[in-house]
Structures are given as structure tokens and as C-alpha cells.
Amino acid sequence: MNNKYKILKTLFFKELKDVLRDKKALMMMILVPVVVYPLILLGAIMIVSMISENKDTVYDIAVYNESANFDAGNLENVLKENAIEKDEEDGSEEQLYTVNYEVVDGKIGEEDCRNRIDDKNLDVYIEITDAGDKANVKAFYMESVNESSEAMDKVRRAVDSISDSIVEKNVESAGLNANDLLNPIAFEKSGLSSDEQMAGLFLGTMLPMMIMLSILISVMHPSIDLTAGEKERGTLETLLMLPVPGKYIVIAKIFTASLCGVVTAILNILAMSTVFGVILENRKASGLFEGMNIELSSFISAMLVTFPVIIVTSLFMSAIFMCFTCFAKSYKEANSYVSPIMMVLMFLGYGSMIPTLELNQYVAIVPVLNVSVLLRDALNFKLNYSMLFLTLCSMVLYSTLAVIFFSKAYNSENLLFGDGKNEISLFEKRSNHKKGMPVTIGDVCFLYPFVILVYLLFGSLLQLKYELAGLFLSQFLILVGIPLAFFIYSKKDIKKAYSFNKCSPLSFVGGVLVGCGALLFAMLLGTVILKTTGITVNQGLVETFEKFFSHNVIVATLCIAGTPAIAEEMLFRGVVFSAIKDKMKPVYSVLIVSVLFGLFHMNLLKFFTTGAIGALLCLIVYYGGSIYPAMLAHFMVNFLSTVISKYGTEQVTKILSNPVMGIIGFGVAIAGLLIVKYSSKKATI
Amino acid sequence: MIKANNLVKTFTKTVQKNKKIEFNAVDDISFEVKKGEIVGILGPNGAGKTTLLRMLAGLMTPSDGYVSVETDEGEIKGNNELKRHIGYLSANTKLYGRFSAKEILKFYGQVYGMTDEEIDKRTEEIVKVLDMEKFADNRIDKLSTGQMQRTSISRCLIHDPEIYIFDEPTLGLDILSSSAIIDFMKAEKEKGKTVIYSTHYMEEAEYMCDRIIMIHEGKIVCNNSPEDLKKETDSHNLREVFKKLIENRMESAANE
């Protein structure tokens, strides 16, 4: 055991050293996130502040006045007054921009006007004529010239205010209150968002995308270098001379590339925070977050979420890249393989910029998009812990699948020594499989993430569409069908894989007891977690559950209780447990099965409750040697919980979640297990 | 002692579009090489030499048959176990350019499970024997071809294997560099090590080898000492032996 880690460590440090001595990789890892991105951000802000007007901006306005009703001098005064901002607190004045006002003697033609705007010695030309008693102000400008249209806005505002004051004067001379008449409704808006929330909104759109991008760029180079680059330089054969299993080499490579991603992302965040801090310090000059009072400590929870997100994203991206780059024979070739993937990942990473995209249970299982949106939600103080859990789980599952694929591909001789037109087969040819082999841990490593992801993607869709039939289909087709098809293909010993062994009738009694006890214990556990942490069950789940009951109640209950009892038992206490039980201490194997079973429910509260139930169910198989009593126990759990949630009053639920009942339940479950153990011993004798 | 037991390696080859045929690059080859013996594997290009040596070294898994090594601890099989007892080197094996020779030795030593003291001691010995003092701390991509080749040899010495498998180790080297390798192999033989190597240089093979195994299209053509081979085929040197035997094979194949 110790030796394994030592070898892994050696391999890992060698790869790391190799990457760190590569100047190209270092540039991507350090220079880009630390220097380039902050510069881009600063540059963007500078451009914004350059575009926005300052006291050096001069607006040239030419006026030709032939109206007797209009006081051109008044216009000049208003324009110049508007250019000065008075601070109401200390009375200081600030010049926002300068107006260069010129009265011309003759009309300026349109063509001439256009030329002068193009030459930048005019922005707006105003022609004032009389139309009866009214003054007709006609302003010429060029919409396509920035300064010209800005000057136009100033003129418009000035003319409006002059017009208002004329109205005011007229109204007052008629003996009415001008203010009441002109503003019949008083409107006042009041923003409720805290300053931190406003800053979070800004950061939430920018930062996730930047982090995704920096991980992407930083991971790409080592991913290519450690696979295709190694092949190109001819060191691969040398490396393979080492007496270590290929998967070690694969793991060391993926970890190295992931670490680069993690380091870059952290550096990026640090650099960005510094820039953000600088902007905050100079918020007046930059115009961003002006007048806001931002407490940086309120972003700590977001930072804490960011950390696991960075790790899973780096892992995922490097694994995905390596899955493709290992097919390439040179750096150049690998680059062309990686480009389209990079496009897709970048596109997904931009998810945070779509404000309407919500992190629901579907978005949470789309890789990269989910973490991007999750980070945004964290920065917007809208983090949902169930979704966080689902997102991280699905990313880990995808990464596992990618690592397994990469490992298979990398260890294929065809790929390592092949002459070019190489192909790899994920599964060995059927004829090469020996008959009746047990299921291995490797099989489970591949089957579990694959089955769970398929179940997450299609299972819930099936259930939404076909309701009860969908539940039945999704459980049997995906949870049972996929592993079974694999076992038949690879000629596994199916009876052994599912622990389809005979058992005595007495063990079923034990199964019923364990089922009832486990439910009571899980209810207690659920109540405790709910009260201490406030985590609840996903609302979506409750709604689908309700839908099932629109059919025949008895059929629905039997289906909800029976389908998972068979399908889930076959997958977890069957396939998973039988693969690992002989390879490690029973404590660990039961623990692993219960963790995997808990994860399958994709909900933080349910993780603990179903995990506990899963452990007890697993013990039935461990002591009894047969899966049938576990199926019955699982049926009891589901049946009772369905009946309670459907027909149980609040009173009943309250009594059942009482700590005493929970402890009694635990005792009953243990008694059930003892019966199972006793009856199986008797059967073997 | 290393033993090849009915080794077969099957590859698929794409002949035309969508048409694949299977062929045996190595076809039922068995032989053994004793302690203190140098055996040369000869054959024309594409005869299956590299595939055979890769299987012997545990780099490739045979489609059928197996390789076994007999040591003091008994018979050893399985790729990763084989690798512990074998030092393999080919013209294709390059080294990590961003490391120094000493770093490479340390890395390989650690993976072979040696302690730091063992590694240091062994490194010192190797550097002395191969005369690498001048460049052992330089980055490998700064070395000359001969220096690189010596570093490559040092890499397969670090775990002190009983068996050396060299796939065309002298390919493309100048006389000085190649004679350094030849001298090294001779010296290891004196120490009782087993050496299996392939080459296209007949004079070198004649001078070096206790036994010659010629293969053609995946099958053994002959397996004997150079002297006996010359007598059998009534030739003056190994070059003639090679020509006669292989041409014979080709003719009989054409006649069939």
C-alpha cells in the first residue's frame, strides 16, 4: 500500500518537474493569469473610463439663430451650467466636460456641416428659426460619431430644460402651481440590493468565465505535452520500461495537468482580487462601484466554494484533453485535436454570462456549464447546496469516466506502438473473455459513473414523461440493463455478480425487520440533519412523487416500492458489493457501497439517510450471502416511507421521527441482521 | 536465464479500405539464453526483431505463449515482474531533455524501489564506469549523441538487472561511441550477465555473439554459434551466412 503511493508520488513529481522546466508551460501557467488577464481587465476599465467623458472633452456647438422668440444666450448658459457638477455636501464644483459655444452669422449647409464634424471642429450645429409663435430648434449631428451624438444629448437636455422653464413660467403666470401640474405623480425608486450583491452581480458574470478560461489554457499545454509531446520526443518507450502498471502513469499525468490548472486558477483569482481591490480603492476615478461600501469578507463563502470547483474542473478538463491528445503522435497533431474541444468547453464556460440560465438539476449535470453557473450563483449569494452537491458529483463522475477511457486508450499497445491507423477498443473482444469470471473493481469503476450519468440524464426525463412507466423503465433499462448487457458481453458469472443465492425463509423475516428498523433510523437521522444544518429535500423530487399518484394508488405504491427494491439492489448490493467484498476489509466494502448508494440519490440530505439505509442493506447481503432478503428489506423501506408520506398525518410523522423511535428502529435493524446471520449459518450447516 | 516459450504476436493490418488481415509478426518462437551468454538477433527489416525484443522486455504482451526469467528466487512471469530484471534499450528510447543524467537515474531508481543511499552509490559507480563525470549534471538536451547514448545505457543499469536487451543499440553511432557500447556489453558478459541484442552490423555480431538467432517473417531460421553457422553453410563470414540463409528462405517461399 505504502509502496504504491511512493511510486505514484515519484511519477507525479517527475511529470511536474518536467512541465515546470518547460518555459511554454510556465508562461501559460503564470504569465497569462497573473499578468495578461488583470491587464485585460484594467485595460477594459481604462477604455470604459476613456470613452466616458472627462473635463478634457470639448463639445463644439455652433448656433445660427434667426428666431426672435429664442434666447440663444440662455441656451449657452444652460449648456455650460449642466457641464458643472455641484457637490451638495461641501459645495465644491467639478467640471465634467467643456462646452465650446459659438454663434455663427450664416447658415451652415448639410454637406459643410458633415465635413466639419468629420474634421472634429464641430459636434452639433443648431439652427433656430421661427414657426409662428414657436421657436423651431433644429439640431444637426452625426449619429455615427461618438462625440457628436454625446453633444447632441447635452443639447437635447438643455433645450428640454429651457422648454420646461418656459412652461413653468407660463403656468405660474396663469396662477397655478407649476410643480403640482408638471409632476402629478411623485416617483421614487429604492434599491434593496446590498452593495455586496451589486458587486457580486458584476463579479458573477465576469469571474467564472475568466476562471474557466484560465484553467482551460493552463491545462491544455501539459495535457498535450505529457501525452503527444512525450510520444514525439520518443521518451514514451523509456517510461514504459518502468515496472509500474500503466494506470499509475496515467494518474500521475492527469494529476500533473490538473495541478497546473488549479495553480493557474488560484493565481488568477489572486491577481483578479488585487485588481478588484485596486479598483475599489480608486472607485471614484474608475467610476466602477462608485459610492459603494463593500465588505470583502462577505465573499469568503463564495471563495470556499470556488476551491472544490477549481479542482474538479481542472481534473475534468485535463482528463478530457488527454483522452484526445493520447491519439496524436505529435504536438502539432494534438493541437488540432484539442481545438474543437476547447471551443466547446469555452462555450460551456461562458454559461455564467447568461443571466436567465438557472442552476437546476438538468444544468447541474452538464459539465463545465454547471460549474460556471454555480460560481456565478455563489458570487450572487444564491448558492443552493443541493445543486452544489449534484454539480460536484457529476463533475467527478465525468472525470472518472474520462480517466478510465484515457487509461484504456493509453495502455493499448496499438496506440503506443501502432504505425498510424490505429484503433483502440474500449472493450476487449468477446472471444478474448474467459467464461464465468467475477466482476472486477475496474468494471465497477467504469460501470458506476456511466450508469449513474445515464440515469441522471435520461432517467429523470423518462420519469417526467411517462411517470410510473418511466420510473419502471428507467430503473430496469439503465440500472439493471446496462450492467447486465456488459456482463453478458463479457461472459461474467451473473449469478455470482448479483448474489442470486438461495436463502432460508427465516432470513426474509430478518429482512423485513431490517427494512422497518432502517427506515425509522433514517427518519431520525434526517430530522437531526434537517434541524442542525437546514438542508432539505429537493422540491422537484416531491413534485414528481406526487405525479405518480395520479394513477391507481395501489399500483403506484407497489411500483414505487418494488422497482427500486429490485433494480437498485441488483446494482449496489449486487454488482458493486460482489466486486469489492473479497478485495478489502468488510468495513470498507460496506462503507463504499453505502457512499455510492448515497451519492446515487444526488441530494445532500438523502446522501446521509439513504447511505445509512444502504449500509444496513449491505450488511444483510454480507451476513446472509443472498440478495433476496435485501430486496425485501429495501421494499419495506420504500413501501413504508411511501405510505407515511402519502397517508401519514403530521402527528404520525412526528411520533415516528422521535429519537426514541429512531433508536428502537436501530435496535430492530440489528436484531434483523442477527436473524439473517443466524439463519444463513444454519443453512450452510 | 531468460526463456521465450512459443511466443506469438498477432497484428491486424489494413490492406485496403475496410479490409483487414491478421498476421503474426512473431510466429511461435521459442529459445532460451543462459547466464553469461551474448545472443544476437539478426534478420531483415520487418522480420519481427523489435516485436520479439519488446515482448522479451515486457513492453508488449504476447498474443500467445509467455516469457519467463529464472532467477535465484525462482521463475518469474508477467510484464511488470519481467521489467524488474531486465534492462532494455533501443535506438528509439530517448530521455527526458529537461532532466540531467543524475536526475533521471534518481527517478528510475526510486520507481524500482531503491533507497536513496542505494541510488547514490549505484549512480556513482555507473558514472565512473561509463565515464560520465563531465556531463552527469547537465541537461540532457544539451548533450552530444554519444553522451546521450551513454546516459541511456546508464538508465537501464540503475537497477542492476541480470538481463540486458538491446534493440539496435549502435544504430547511427560513430565508431567510438559504438565501440564503447560493445565494450560495455562484453564487460557485462564477463560479470555473468545475459545479453540479447539485435543489429544489422554482421561483423559486430560475429565478433560479439556466442550465439546467433536469425529470424525471418516471424520464424526462427537458425539458432547456433557463428562458427557452426559458417561451417553449416560453408561460408567465410556471417554476412555470407545471412545472405545464403535468408535468400534460401525467400526462394522457397516464392516457389511454394
Side-chain angles (χ1 to χ4, degrees):
Chain A
M1 216 46 181
N2 223 346
N3 203 17
K4 263 189 203 171
Y5 290 120
K6 218 172 154 188
I7 290 176
L8 255 180
K9 206 178 97 189
T10 316
L11 287 170
F12 173 68
F13 278 112
K14 181 230 126 207
E15 301 287 10
L16 194 64
K17 225 189 224 174
D18 198 21
V19 168
L20 288 182
R21 285 185 182 175
D22 184 6
K23 285 189 189 102
K24 233 173 170 175
L26 272 187
M27 288 252 288
M28 294 289 193
M29 250 176 90
I30 295 170
L31 205 67
V32 172
V34 174
V35 181
V36 178
Y37 281 172
L39 276 182
I40 291 176
L41 187 68
L42 273 179
I45 288 165
M46 265 169 72
I47 289 170
V48 169
S49 60
M50 259 161 69
I51 289 172
S52 66
E53 58 214 6
N54 56 47
K55 63 176 187 287
D56 297 330
T57 321
V58 179
Y59 295 118
D60 296 307
I61 296 166
V63 180
Y64 171 73
N65 189 5
E66 59 172 38
S67 161
N69 298 325
F70 194 86
D71 182 3
N74 190 21
L75 179 64
E76 181 178 4
N77 288 340
V78 175
L79 274 171
K80 287 193 169 159
E81 267 168 35
N82 283 348
I84 295 165
E85 191 187 50
K86 266 187 195 155
D87 196 315
E88 277 168 22
E89 277 171 25
D90 54 9
S92 65
E93 289 185 353
E94 196 190 350
Q95 183 89 28
L96 297 177
Y97 51 89
T98 316
V99 175
N100 193 358
Y101 192 84
E102 180 197 3
V103 180
V104 291
D105 299 332
K107 279 190 183 179
I108 303 174
E110 276 187 26
E111 191 55 46
D112 196 17
C113 190
R114 207 173 283 139
N115 286 339
R116 283 184 63 179
I117 293 176
D118 271 340
D119 294 344
K120 297 211 181 260
N121 52 33
L122 182 68
D123 290 312
V124 176
Y125 164 60
I126 305 170
E127 216 172 83
I128 307 165
T129 49
D130 264 337
D133 287 347
K134 268 166 79 179
N136 189 9
V137 178
K138 204 171 175 187
F140 297 88
Y141 76 116
M142 280 177 79
E143 312 87 306
S144 56
V145 177
N146 230 330
E147 284 203 351
S148 179
S149 40
E150 277 167 19
M152 185 64 203
D153 287 339
K154 319 289 177 211
V155 170
R156 170 93 231 192
R157 235 166 68 203
V159 171
D160 279 350
S161 81
I162 292 172
S163 162
D164 279 353
S165 67
I166 293 170
V167 172
E168 215 168 298
K169 219 180 273 171
N170 289 347
V171 169
E172 262 167 18
S173 66
L176 293 163
N177 184 331
N179 197 25
D180 287 356
L181 196 73
L182 289 174
N183 306 309
I185 298 167
F187 179 79
E188 205 179 329
K189 62 177 179 182
S190 174
L192 293 175
S193 293
S194 69
D195 290 347
E196 283 83 13
Q197 277 168 324
M198 292 304 294
L201 189 67
F202 169 78
L203 287 178
T205 18
M206 297 274 298
L207 209 57
M209 178 204 79
M210 288 237 172
I211 292 176
M212 293 298 127
L213 210 62
S214 64
I215 294 178
L216 196 64
I217 290 175
S218 134
V219 153
M220 193 180 76
H221 179 75
S223 301
I224 297 176
D225 194 63
L226 295 178
T227 51
E230 170 136 57
K231 231 191 240 177
E232 191 176 8
R233 290 189 295 270
T235 52
L236 185 61
E237 211 175 342
T238 324
L239 186 67
L240 291 175
M241 265 323 289
L242 290 171
V244 290
K247 61 185 172 205
Y248 284 28
I249 297 176
V250 164
I251 290 172
K253 283 183 187 296
I254 287 192
F255 276 9
T256 308
S258 312
L259 186 71
C260 293
V262 172
V263 169
T264 308
I266 292 174
L267 285 177
N268 189 22
I269 290 174
L270 288 178
M272 293 302 233
S273 319
T274 318
V275 173
F276 187 60
V278 170
I279 295 174
L280 276 183
E281 281 301 305
N282 307 305
R283 63 191 93 170
K284 199 126 200 189
S286 65
L288 273 170
F289 311 114
E290 202 178 332
M292 283 184 177
N293 187 16
I294 289 162
E295 194 66 56
L296 280 175
S297 61
S298 57
F299 289 105
I300 284 177
S301 68
M303 289 283 174
L304 287 180
V305 174
T306 310
F307 209 72
V309 163
I310 289 172
I311 292 174
V312 293
T313 313
S314 305
L315 195 64
F316 174 78
M317 284 183 177
S318 46
I320 286 284
F321 276 147
M322 286 193 180
C323 281
F324 289 88
T325 53
C326 69
F327 289 95
K329 276 191 294 301
S330 67
Y331 199 98
K332 228 174 172 180
E333 194 185 344
N335 243 331
S336 61
Y337 289 169
V338 156
S339 306
I341 309 157
M342 197 162 157
M343 296 287 203
V344 174
L345 292 180
M346 248 156 92
F347 181 73
L348 290 171
Y350 287 160
S352 67
M353 300 184 90
I354 309 169
T356 49
L357 194 65
E358 251 182 77
L359 186 63
N360 56 30
Q361 50 184 340
Y362 299 108
V363 174
I365 47 180
V366 181
V368 184
L369 181 69
N370 56 4
V371 281
S372 171
V373 179
L374 180 80
L375 274 187
R376 182 198 66 192
D377 282 1
L379 286 163
N380 288 352
F381 306 96
K382 284 196 298 201
L383 194 63
N384 177 334
Y385 286 97
S386 289
M387 288 301 134
L388 168 74
F389 185 70
L390 187 55
T391 299
L392 292 180
C393 285
S394 67
M395 283 299 272
V396 170
L397 289 179
Y398 281 117
S399 309
T400 317
L401 273 186
V403 171
I404 289 169
F405 179 82
F406 171 46
S407 176
K408 292 229 175 195
Y410 198 77
N411 291 325
S412 117
E413 283 175 3
N414 232 338
L415 205 80
L416 298 176
F417 304 115
D419 52 349
K421 289 167 216 75
N422 41 37
E423 52 198 60
I424 66 140
S425 51
L426 248 193
F427 304 110
E428 209 153 322
K429 269 191 230 151
R430 185 150 199 257
S431 55
N432 289 352
H433 282 287
K434 279 184 203 142
K435 211 174 166 184
M437 293 296 280
V439 182
T440 62
I441 295 183
D443 295 336
V444 171
C445 283
F446 157 73
L447 278 173
Y448 179 78
F450 184 69
V451 166
I452 302 298
L453 284 173
V454 172
Y455 189 74
L456 278 176
L457 286 168
F458 300 108
S460 42
L461 283 178
L462 275 174
Q463 289 176 19
L464 272 181
K465 199 153 185 202
Y466 302 110
E467 294 164 10
L468 266 189
L471 175 76
F472 187 80
L473 273 178
S474 62
Q475 288 250 337
F476 277 105
L477 275 184
I478 300 170
L479 298 188
V480 178
I482 295 173
L484 198 62
F486 175 72
F487 295 157
I488 290 170
Y489 176 82
S490 55
K491 302 182 202 158
K492 300 278 187 208
D493 186 342
I494 288 169
K495 188 172 168 247
K496 216 171 175 181
Y498 286 114
S499 302
F500 284 153
N501 297 322
K502 275 184 201 158
C503 57
S504 69
L506 195 61
S507 60
F508 284 106
V509 177
V512 172
L513 287 179
V514 175
C516 300
L519 179 69
L520 285 173
F521 179 60
M523 282 175 81
L524 169 68
L525 202 63
T527 322
V528 171
I529 294 169
L530 189 69
K531 284 209 173 126
T532 49
T533 61
I535 299 163
T536 53
V537 175
N538 200 340
Q539 197 56 39
L541 285 172
V542 181
E543 277 164 21
T544 20
F545 195 65
E546 283 296 313
K547 259 193 194 158
F548 291 154
F549 282 101
S550 53
H551 302 271
N552 186 324
V553 175
I554 297 170
V555 174
T557 313
L558 286 179
C559 202
I560 291 170
T563 311
I566 298 170
E568 290 174 14
E569 281 317 296
M570 280 173 81
L571 179 62
F572 292 98
R573 260 64 65 183
V575 178
V576 177
F577 186 58
S578 69
I580 62 174
K581 67 181 171 191
D582 298 329
K583 303 277 163 60
M584 52 187 88
K585 280 184 188 163
V587 187
Y588 293 123
S589 57
V590 170
L591 204 67
I592 288 175
V593 170
S594 72
V595 167
L596 292 181
F597 184 60
L599 281 176
F600 164 73
H601 292 85
M602 291 293 162
N603 178 285
L604 201 49
L605 176 66
K606 279 196 156 191
F607 172 75
F608 293 104
T609 54
T610 55
I613 294 174
L616 289 167
L617 292 174
C618 198
L619 285 171
I620 298 181
V621 182
Y622 175 68
Y623 287 127
S626 166
I627 200 165
Y628 303 120
M631 283 181 176
L632 185 64
H634 195 148
F635 177 81
M636 287 312 292
V637 172
N638 288 1
F639 177 73
L640 292 176
S641 67
T642 315
V643 170
I644 292 168
S645 68
K646 184 73 185 152
Y647 300 105
T649 53
E650 237 171 73
Q651 196 73 33
V652 176
T653 323
K654 211 171 177 184
I655 294 170
L656 288 176
S657 348
N658 192 298
V660 180
M661 290 301 279
I663 292 161
I664 292 174
F666 190 68
V668 170
I670 298 296
L673 281 176
L674 287 176
I675 294 176
V676 171
K677 193 177 175 186
Y678 170 74
S679 63
S680 80
K681 252 190 196 155
K682 218 174 156 190
T684 48
I685 292 163
Chain B
M1 187 175 80
I2 183 165
K3 218 168 149 186
N5 304 285
N6 305 88
L7 289 181
V8 176
K9 186 70 192 179
T10 312
F11 289 126
T12 37
K13 191 159 70 175
T14 315
V15 191
Q16 285 160 358
K17 249 189 187 174
N18 304 324
K19 203 180 164 193
K20 283 171 197 156
I21 50 160
E22 288 197 338
F23 72 101
N24 291 341
V26 170
D27 196 359
D28 195 20
I29 283 185
S30 302
F31 62 86
E32 56 176 67
V33 183
K34 291 190 187 67
K35 235 179 139 179
E37 206 179 9
I38 299 186
V39 168
I41 309 280
L42 306 183
N45 288 327
K49 296 189 299 287
T50 299
T51 309
L52 175 65
L53 293 181
R54 276 176 176 164
M55 281 194 285
L56 287 176
L59 269 175
M60 262 186 183
T61 312
S63 308
D64 204 6
Y66 64 95
V67 179
S68 59
V69 169
E70 247 161 62
T71 63
D72 308 335
E73 297 131 40
E75 197 183 37
I76 281 158
K77 279 183 226 171
N79 283 355
N80 281 329
E81 288 310 309
L82 283 180
K83 285 177 192 170
R84 291 194 176 278
H85 299 276
I86 289 170
Y88 173 81
L89 181 72
S90 84
N92 299 325
T93 53
K94 303 268 164 43
L95 288 167
Y96 291 92
R98 297 172 202 137
F99 286 81
S100 75
K102 276 191 179 164
E103 281 171 325
I104 292 274
L105 290 178
K106 186 155 192 193
F107 165 62
Y108 274 81
Q110 278 171 341
V111 178
Y112 281 114
M114 297 161 72
T115 63
D116 283 352
E117 291 89 65
E118 281 172 343
I119 294 171
D120 288 342
K121 205 178 145 215
R122 184 88 186 131
T123 305
E124 213 174 294
E125 281 170 24
I126 292 170
V127 167
K128 213 169 185 182
V129 169
L130 292 176
D131 191 22
M132 290 166 56
E133 281 100 344
K134 270 185 209 154
F135 58 88
D137 285 311
N138 295 3
R139 265 173 70 146
I140 287 169
D141 51 13
K142 301 256 155 54
L143 303 183
S144 70
T145 316
Q147 288 172 332
M148 260 187 221
Q149 194 67 5
R150 265 185 277 172
T151 314
S152 274
I153 296 172
S154 75
R155 191 266 306 155
C156 59
L157 288 180
I158 184 76
H159 57 300
D160 197 13
E162 297 98 86
I163 298 152
Y164 292 101
I165 295 177
F166 290 152
D167 189 8
E168 301 188 23
T170 51
L171 189 77
L173 292 185
D174 62 46
I175 293 168
L176 284 179
S177 299
S178 62
S179 66
I181 290 170
I182 287 169
D183 292 345
F184 165 75
M185 286 198 274
K186 281 257 179 199
E188 289 299 306
K189 172 199 154 84
E190 297 305 317
K191 283 186 210 159
K193 302 280 167 97
T194 309
V195 179
I196 301 174
Y197 95 115
S198 76
T199 184
H200 284 299
Y201 304 124
M202 294 300 146
E203 291 77 12
E204 188 186 296
E206 198 175 342
Y207 164 69
M208 287 276 298
C209 299
D210 301 317
R211 197 140 55 87
I212 300 286
I213 295 176
M214 271 188 210
I215 56 173
H216 177 61
E217 288 180 345
K219 287 192 165 65
I220 292 185
V221 177
C222 64
N223 178 358
N224 218 334
S225 69
E227 279 67 40
D228 289 347
L229 281 177
K230 276 191 268 185
K231 265 182 223 156
E232 272 172 31
T233 54
D234 191 23
S235 317
H236 297 294
N237 55 33
L238 203 57
R239 190 181 286 266
E240 264 177 59
V241 176
F242 184 85
K243 268 181 96 176
K244 277 183 185 164
L245 283 173
I246 300 295
E247 273 171 1
N248 242 338
R249 272 282 172 136
M250 282 174 164
E251 270 165 30
S252 62
N255 291 337
E256 264 172 28

